[in-house]
Amino acid sequence: MSKRFVSTLLAALLTAQVGTAGHIAVASAEDAVAVAPSNGLSPAACAVTPMPRTKEYTWMSVAKWNEIHAAQQARAKQGGVDLMFVGDSITQGWPQDLFEQEFGRFHAVNFGVGGDHTGNVLYRLDDPAMAALKPRAIVLLIGVNNFFHCADDTEQTFAGIRKVVETLRREYPDARILLNGVLPYGEPQEEAKRVQVRALNRMVATLAEGRHVVYRDYGPRLLQADGTISHDIMADNLHPTPKGYRIWADAMLPDIETLMK
């Protein structure tokens, strides 16, 4: 019996207990406000249970999610991936020319999918083609959608990120992980969101042990001196613009070069 079958069966049972509830995916304002997990799981289960996308969104259908997932599986089967990017729409949204310019020499492949929370990433990693890869380094950014689509608090989101890191360490024991802190988001007056991200990142930082997992919080580089987010860096206060991605790339590149040695 496969791990995926067991995980999906467990998720189905949990759902029965608690009730039902290449493209960049950008949530609308109403999509980004969640009052209950979008897949019917309790918040804790949503974060740590491998689950495919089950909810239709205006910005990405379930069929589109499955299409992207299948394309990434097909790319994984080709092998030859030395640098993996894993995450949600912020990862998926890298401008292709910039991605190739900065990371192409490392045989980098982008495995980001818009709207994914930690449970979705766990599901996508639980795949024979993905497990067969032998990356030298992995860039991970995940967690903000747990707030949106799982209704997770900081502790629950941290549990999900921790499980993703544990899964990456188990599947790719020779790889080094560049664990990104969750980037700041929200309007300037929404200080609670900044506080939430800072609290989460303090927890995430504890997952680093310096050798196999290295933690970096590049978020402050995307903020203005007064702590606000400029719309030419994050137009929707969540997803970087090309200028934002350039700032992030310049910040990460020295660390990636070190990890790839």
Side-chain angles (χ1 to χ4, degrees):
M1 185 178 294
S2 70
K3 292 189 297 179
R4 176 166 293 183
F5 178 82
V6 172
S7 297
T8 304
L9 178 60
L10 174 60
L13 291 173
L14 287 167
T15 302
Q17 290 172 354
V18 301
T20 58
H23 299 261
I24 179 171
V26 180
S28 65
E30 56 270 26
D31 284 332
V33 179
V35 295
S38 61
N39 53 20
L41 300 179
S42 68
C46 185
V48 300
T49 302
M51 281 289 293
R53 183 71 55 80
T54 58
K55 182 176 175 60
E56 299 281 350
Y57 292 108
T58 57
W59 40 270
M60 186 187 290
S61 65
V62 171
K64 187 62 183 179
W65 187 91
N66 287 326
E67 178 186 328
I68 295 171
H69 177 44
Q72 292 184 352
Q73 288 177 301
R75 176 60 187 89
K77 289 178 182 177
Q78 298 174 14
V81 179
D82 289 337
L83 176 61
M84 286 174 56
F85 280 67
V86 178
D88 51 34
S89 60
I90 297 173
T91 294
Q92 185 188 10
W94 276 96
Q96 189 60 32
D97 56 346
L98 177 61
F99 190 84
E100 288 298 326
Q101 174 188 334
E102 297 297 337
F103 312 120
R105 58 194 164 106
F106 301 120
H107 302 110
V109 176
N110 189 333
F111 291 103
V113 179
D116 269 12
H117 53 71
T118 53
N120 299 143
V121 169
L122 290 168
Y123 178 86
R124 293 195 287 112
L125 290 174
D126 183 17
D127 175 78
M130 292 293 291
L133 294 174
K134 299 186 182 300
R136 296 170 59 190
I138 301 166
V139 176
L140 174 64
L141 172 63
I142 195 66
V144 72
N145 287 319
N146 286 63
F147 299 145
F148 298 159
H149 304 316
C150 283
D152 284 336
D153 60 23
T154 52
E155 290 80 6
Q156 291 157 343
T157 301
F158 171 65
I161 296 172
R162 180 175 58 203
K163 188 163 184 179
V164 171
V165 171
E166 291 170 352
T167 299
L168 292 172
R169 287 288 299 121
R170 182 177 67 251
E171 291 196 1
Y172 313 110
D174 296 326
R176 303 185 73 189
I177 300 170
L178 179 57
L179 175 58
N180 278 246
V182 171
L183 301 181
Y185 74 100
E187 296 287 349
Q189 68 272 20
E190 296 178 299
E191 178 60 20
K193 293 181 178 179
R194 304 295 175 81
V195 172
Q196 185 181 48
V197 167
R198 289 194 293 268
L200 173 61
N201 285 342
R202 285 193 292 270
M203 299 178 194
V204 174
T206 66
L207 299 175
E209 34 74 270
R211 175 169 174 75
H212 292 100
V213 182
V214 175
Y215 171 80
R216 294 287 187 270
D217 181 8
Y218 303 110
R221 302 197 186 200
L222 300 174
L223 298 175
Q224 302 301 293
D226 62 357
T228 61
I229 298 175
S230 170
H231 283 188
D232 69 340
I233 293 177
M234 285 182 174
D236 62 353
N237 296 303
L238 176 64
H239 299 87
T241 61
K243 180 178 179 180
Y245 279 107
R246 166 56 68 186
I247 294 171
W248 190 18
D250 289 345
M252 274 200 301
L253 193 56
D255 291 320
I256 289 175
E257 290 174 336
T258 298
L259 296 179
M260 291 295 292
K261 289 180 181 177

